[in-house]
Coordinates of all heavy atoms in Angstrom, one line a residue:
Chain B
E83 N 58.4 -96.5 109.3 CA 57.9 -97.8 109.6 C 56.3 -97.8 109.6 O 55.7 -96.9 109.9 CB 58.3 -98.2 111.0 CG 59.8 -98.4 111.2 CD 60.2 -99.2 112.4 OE1 59.3 -99.7 113.0 OE2 61.4 -99.2 112.7
A84 N 55.8 -99.0 109.2 CA 54.4 -99.1 109.0 C 53.7 -99.1 110.4 O 54.3 -99.5 111.4 CB 54.0 -100.4 108.3
L85 N 52.5 -98.5 110.5 CA 51.7 -98.5 111.7 C 50.7 -99.6 111.5 O 49.8 -99.5 110.6 CB 51.1 -97.1 111.8 CG 50.2 -96.9 113.0 CD1 51.0 -97.1 114.4 CD2 49.5 -95.6 113.0
N86 N 50.7 -100.5 112.4 CA 49.7 -101.6 112.4 C 48.8 -101.5 113.6 O 49.2 -101.5 114.7 CB 50.4 -103.0 112.4 CG 51.4 -103.2 111.3 OD1 51.0 -102.9 110.1 ND2 52.6 -103.6 111.5
I87 N 47.5 -101.4 113.3 CA 46.5 -101.3 114.4 C 45.3 -102.2 114.1 O 45.1 -102.6 113.0 CB 46.0 -99.8 114.6 CG1 45.3 -99.3 113.4 CG2 47.2 -98.9 114.9 CD1 44.5 -98.0 113.7
Q88 N 44.6 -102.4 115.2 CA 43.3 -103.2 115.1 C 42.1 -102.3 114.7 O 42.1 -101.2 115.1 CB 43.1 -103.9 116.4 CG 42.1 -105.0 116.3 CD 42.0 -105.8 117.6 OE1 42.4 -105.3 118.7 NE2 41.6 -107.0 117.6
E89 N 41.3 -102.9 113.9 CA 40.1 -102.2 113.5 C 39.3 -101.7 114.7 O 39.3 -102.3 115.8 CB 39.2 -103.3 112.8 CG 37.9 -102.7 112.3 CD 37.1 -103.7 111.5 OE1 37.4 -104.9 111.6 OE2 36.1 -103.3 110.8
G90 N 38.8 -100.5 114.6 CA 38.1 -99.9 115.7 C 39.0 -99.0 116.6 O 38.4 -98.1 117.2
K91 N 40.2 -99.1 116.5 CA 41.1 -98.2 117.3 C 41.4 -97.0 116.5 O 41.1 -96.8 115.3 CB 42.5 -99.0 117.5 CG 42.4 -100.3 118.2 CD 41.9 -100.1 119.7 CE 42.0 -101.5 120.4 NZ 41.4 -101.4 121.8
T92 N 42.0 -96.0 117.3 CA 42.4 -94.7 116.7 C 43.9 -94.8 116.2 O 44.7 -95.2 116.9 CB 42.3 -93.6 117.7 OG1 40.9 -93.4 118.0 CG2 42.8 -92.3 117.1
A93 N 44.0 -94.5 114.9 CA 45.4 -94.4 114.4 C 45.9 -93.0 114.5 O 45.2 -92.1 114.2 CB 45.4 -94.8 112.9
T94 N 47.1 -92.8 114.9 CA 47.7 -91.5 115.0 C 49.1 -91.5 114.2 O 49.9 -92.3 114.5 CB 48.0 -91.1 116.5 OG1 46.7 -91.1 117.2 CG2 48.7 -89.7 116.6
L95 N 49.1 -90.6 113.2 CA 50.3 -90.5 112.4 C 51.0 -89.2 112.7 O 50.3 -88.1 112.9 CB 50.0 -90.6 111.0 CG 49.6 -92.0 110.4 CD1 48.3 -92.5 110.9 CD2 49.7 -92.0 108.9
T96 N 52.3 -89.1 112.6 CA 53.0 -87.9 113.0 C 53.8 -87.3 111.8 O 54.3 -88.1 111.0 CB 54.1 -88.2 114.1 OG1 53.4 -88.8 115.2 CG2 54.8 -87.0 114.6
C97 N 53.9 -86.0 111.7 CA 54.6 -85.3 110.7 C 55.4 -84.2 111.4 O 54.9 -83.4 112.1 CB 53.7 -84.7 109.7 SG 54.5 -83.7 108.5
N98 N 56.7 -84.3 111.4 CA 57.6 -83.3 112.0 C 58.4 -82.6 110.8 O 58.7 -83.3 109.8 CB 58.6 -84.0 112.9 CG 57.9 -84.6 114.1 OD1 57.3 -83.9 114.9 ND2 58.0 -85.8 114.3
Y99 N 58.7 -81.4 111.0 CA 59.4 -80.7 110.0 C 60.5 -79.7 110.6 O 60.3 -79.3 111.8 CB 58.5 -79.9 109.0 CG 57.6 -78.9 109.7 CD1 58.0 -77.5 109.8 CD2 56.3 -79.2 110.3 CE1 57.2 -76.6 110.4 CE2 55.6 -78.2 110.9 CZ 56.0 -76.9 111.0 OH 55.2 -76.0 111.6
T100 N 61.5 -79.4 109.8 CA 62.5 -78.5 110.3 C 62.9 -77.5 109.1 O 62.6 -77.8 108.0 CB 63.8 -79.3 110.7 OG1 64.2 -80.1 109.6 CG2 63.5 -80.1 111.9
N101 N 63.5 -76.4 109.5 CA 63.9 -75.4 108.6 C 62.9 -75.0 107.6 O 63.1 -74.7 106.5 CB 65.1 -76.0 107.8 CG 66.3 -76.4 108.6 OD1 66.6 -75.7 109.6 ND2 67.0 -77.4 108.3
Y102 N 61.7 -74.8 108.2 CA 60.6 -74.4 107.3 C 59.5 -73.7 108.2 O 59.3 -74.1 109.4 CB 60.0 -75.6 106.6 CG 59.1 -75.2 105.4 CD1 59.3 -74.1 104.7 CD2 58.1 -76.2 105.0 CE1 58.5 -73.8 103.5 CE2 57.4 -75.9 103.9 CZ 57.5 -74.8 103.2 OH 56.8 -74.5 102.1
S103 N 58.8 -72.8 107.7 CA 57.7 -72.2 108.3 C 56.5 -72.1 107.4 O 56.3 -71.1 106.7 CB 58.0 -70.7 108.8 OG 59.0 -70.7 109.8
P104 N 55.8 -73.3 107.2 CA 54.8 -73.4 106.2 C 53.6 -72.5 106.7 O 53.2 -72.3 107.8 CB 54.4 -74.8 106.2 CG 54.8 -75.3 107.6 CD 56.0 -74.5 108.0
A105 N 52.9 -72.0 105.6 CA 51.7 -71.3 105.8 C 50.5 -72.2 106.1 O 49.5 -71.8 106.7 CB 51.4 -70.4 104.6
Y106 N 50.6 -73.4 105.6 CA 49.6 -74.4 105.8 C 50.2 -75.8 105.6 O 51.3 -76.0 105.1 CB 48.4 -74.2 104.7 CG 48.9 -74.2 103.3 CD1 48.8 -75.4 102.5 CD2 49.3 -73.0 102.7 CE1 49.2 -75.3 101.2 CE2 49.6 -73.0 101.4 CZ 49.6 -74.2 100.6 OH 50.0 -74.1 99.3
L107 N 49.4 -76.8 106.0 CA 49.8 -78.2 105.9 C 48.6 -79.0 105.4 O 47.4 -78.7 105.8 CB 50.2 -78.6 107.4 CG 50.9 -80.0 107.6 CD1 51.9 -79.9 108.7 CD2 49.8 -81.1 107.8
Q108 N 48.9 -80.0 104.6 CA 47.9 -80.8 104.0 C 48.2 -82.3 104.3 O 49.4 -82.6 104.4 CB 47.7 -80.6 102.6 CG 47.4 -79.2 102.2 CD 47.1 -78.9 100.7 OE1 47.1 -79.9 99.9 NE2 46.9 -77.7 100.3

Side-chain angles (χ1 to χ4, degrees):
Chain B
E83 295 198 9
L85 177 63
N86 299 312
I87 65 167
Q88 194 172 22
E89 183 175 11
K91 302 290 186 187
T92 296
T94 299
L95 286 70
T96 304
C97 175
N98 295 297
Y99 60 93
T100 55
N101 299 325
Y102 198 27
S103 296
Y106 55 92
L107 187 148
Q108 299 183 7

